[in-house]
Amino acid sequence: MTTPSQDILARLAEVIASRKGGDPAQSYVARLFDKGTDAILKKIGEEATETVMAAKDGDRAKIVYEVADLWFHSLIALAQFDLSPADVLAELQRREGLSGLEEFARRTVPPAQN
C-alpha cells in the first residue's frame, strides 16, 4: 500500500516522464531534458546550495520550499536515467533498520582509477 507521499512522488514522476521529448518552448521540464544531463545536474547543484542557505538562515518555510525544488529537480534527474521514486524508496527500505555506520561499512569501495 502506498502512502500519500509516495502517491504524489509517483504522480509527479509520471508528469515529468511525460515531458521527455516534449516541446522545450512549452515546458520547463522539456527544456531541461532538451539541454541534457549537465543542465539537469547543474540545476540540482543550484537547488542543493539554495537548500543549504535556507537551512543556515533557519527559515522553516524557505527550507521546505527549497527542499521541494531540490526534490523536483532530483525527480527530473531520475527520469533522465529511466529511474523512478520507487527505485529510491526501495533503496531506503533496504537500508531501514541499519545504523548509518553499519550501512556505510557495507558499501564496497570501487577500485582506484589509473
Side-chain angles (χ1 to χ4, degrees):
M1 184 161 125
T2 61
T3 65
S5 60
Q6 289 172 312
D7 290 343
I8 188 65
L9 289 174
R11 286 194 311 270
L12 187 54
E14 286 176 16
V15 170
I16 288 168
S18 76
R19 301 294 197 267
K20 266 184 141 176
D23 182 356
Q26 299 295 316
S27 165
Y28 169 76
V29 173
R31 189 176 319 143
L32 273 178
F33 281 131
D34 187 59
K35 289 181 178 180
T37 302
D38 285 347
I40 294 167
L41 298 178
K42 180 180 177 187
K43 193 63 183 170
I44 290 173
E46 290 171 10
E47 297 303 341
T49 299
E50 290 172 5
T51 299
V52 169
M53 291 168 43
K56 287 190 68 70
D57 291 344
D59 182 335
R60 293 168 52 91
K62 194 169 182 184
I63 293 167
V64 169
Y65 182 89
E66 295 300 345
V67 168
D69 279 352
L70 179 59
W71 284 15
F72 178 78
H73 289 90
S74 295
L75 289 172
I76 295 171
L78 287 172
Q80 178 73 356
F81 294 100
D82 297 319
L83 295 166
S84 72
D87 296 308
V88 177
L89 293 171
E91 174 60 16
L92 290 171
Q93 186 173 26
R94 183 192 68 78
R95 295 180 189 187
E96 187 176 18
L98 294 176
S99 77
L101 296 175
E102 182 181 359
E103 194 282 325
F104 185 76
R106 288 184 179 187
R107 294 181 190 176
T108 58
V109 178
Q113 299 287 325
N114 290 344

